Amino acid sequence: MTRRTEFAGKLIEVVVDDGKEIVLHGPAVAIVAVDREGVVTLLRQPRPAVGGPVLELPAGGLEAGETPLESAQRELREETGLHGGDWVEAATVFSTPGYCDERVHLFLATALEQGEASPEGSEELELVRVPVADLPDLLPEIEDAKTLAGLLLYLRTRRSPG
């Protein structure tokens, strides 16, 4: 097996492994964030790769030394100000396994408390608050895979007995 680096950037590395191009990204987190009032907070942000804004779950990459849960809690507080509550890791999924190694840890966070957001200076984030009851009608508009997976997992847990 031969592996060589073709590109090394700030967020990704592209390698060729036995003739196959692979994007190395590292782990990430995404959070279905439900506050005490039963409202889910999503983010609309520009995504140049797809030519415009995308409605997504709060998400981000793990920093050195962080567990997925620590990363998820940090990202959620930074991007939305939401914190506290009850957390469960619902699933771990590959974002685009055909060519990328990114593994996304999907968390369900409920009974969250409002706080002050502190996004990174370069982030253009529009908070979109959706009542839980309206989520099923929103699903056809979701184009981001991690967001669709997270919301479907959340809705499934709400219907489960117990």
Side-chain angles (χ1 to χ4, degrees), residues 69-107:
L69 178 59
E70 290 167 340
S71 177
Q73 291 173 334
R74 175 186 51 76
E75 285 288 345
L76 186 64
R77 184 183 282 266
E78 287 175 3
E79 293 182 348
T80 70
L82 293 166
H83 62 279
D86 301 312
W87 290 74
V88 63
E89 185 170 350
T92 303
V93 298
F94 288 108
S95 61
T96 47
Y99 62 88
C100 183
D101 73 340
E102 180 185 50
R103 184 183 294 261
V104 181
H105 299 265
L106 289 170
F107 286 89

Side-chain angles (χ1 to χ4, degrees), residues 10-111:
K10 180 180 170 188
L11 296 176
I12 65 165
E13 182 177 349
V14 179
V15 299
V16 176
D17 193 341
D18 280 345
K20 295 177 179 64
E21 296 173 337
I22 302 170
V23 175
L24 304 178
H25 182 275
V29 296
I31 308 99
V32 178
V34 185
D35 66 20
R36 292 184 184 278
E37 287 75 45
V39 174
V40 174
T41 298
L42 301 168
L43 303 172
R44 183 173 284 116
Q45 55 188 321
R47 293 299 193 188
V50 297
V54 176
L55 190 60
E56 302 177 54
L57 294 175
L62 272 72
E63 292 183 358
E66 281 185 322
T67 66
L69 178 59
E70 290 167 340
S71 177
Q73 291 173 334
R74 175 186 51 76
E75 285 288 345
L76 186 64
R77 184 183 282 266
E78 287 175 3
E79 293 182 348
T80 70
L82 293 166
H83 62 279
D86 301 312
W87 290 74
V88 63
E89 185 170 350
T92 303
V93 298
F94 288 108
S95 61
T96 47
Y99 62 88
C100 183
D101 73 340
E102 180 185 50
R103 184 183 294 261
V104 181
H105 299 265
L106 289 170
F107 286 89
L108 307 180
T110 56

Side-chain angles (χ1 to χ4, degrees), residues 129-139 155:
R129 294 176 42 81
V130 180
V132 166
D134 294 345
L135 286 179
D137 292 334
L138 180 67
L139 294 177
L155 289 171

